[in-house]
Amino acid sequence: MSIDISLRVSHYPFSTDLTGNLAPMASACGLYDALWHPSTLSASPFDATTGKDLICPLEAGLAQLHANEYADLEPANGWGNREVLLKVATDLLAACRLYPDAEVVVR
């Protein structure tokens, strides 16, 4: 099962999806909450999560992902790998920097 991650302003300037097979790797490097449960990172529990809420967690998680191989956490079925997680997180970080006030939507 995959997740769809989008940024929303009055339109969707960024959208991607990511296989759930990478959840264990994302968890190990600290990207899980930013990708699967970004609402937990919101500045206020009453406000929508925005791109700026994800910048620091994405930077920290990407630093860990760059520093470690996580080969033992690559899905045995071949659906997803470290490079896929790296690309999605890097692209999302770039989008969050471009659209810091965009609402983050994960379905």
Side-chain angles (χ1 to χ4, degrees), residues 47-65:
D47 294 332
T49 304
T50 61
K52 66 181 158 243
D53 294 322
L54 298 188
I55 292 173
C56 287
L58 287 170
E59 288 174 340
L62 280 165
Q64 287 299 311
L65 191 56

Side-chain angles (χ1 to χ4, degrees), residues 6-82:
S6 303
L7 294 181
R8 177 172 54 196
V9 188
S10 60
H11 62 293
Y12 290 94
F14 174 82
S15 186
T16 191
D17 68 335
L18 185 62
T19 177
N21 292 332
L22 293 173
M25 186 181 299
S27 183
C29 70
L31 287 169
Y32 183 80
D33 285 341
L35 298 174
W36 271 266
H37 300 288
S39 63
T40 64
L41 304 172
S42 179
S44 166
F46 304 106
D47 294 332
T49 304
T50 61
K52 66 181 158 243
D53 294 322
L54 298 188
I55 292 173
C56 287
L58 287 170
E59 288 174 340
L62 280 165
Q64 287 299 311
L65 191 56
H66 279 290
N68 300 288
E69 289 296 317
Y70 298 106
D72 58 324
L73 296 176
E74 290 203 355
N77 64 8
W79 285 58
N81 56 37
R82 181 178 172 273

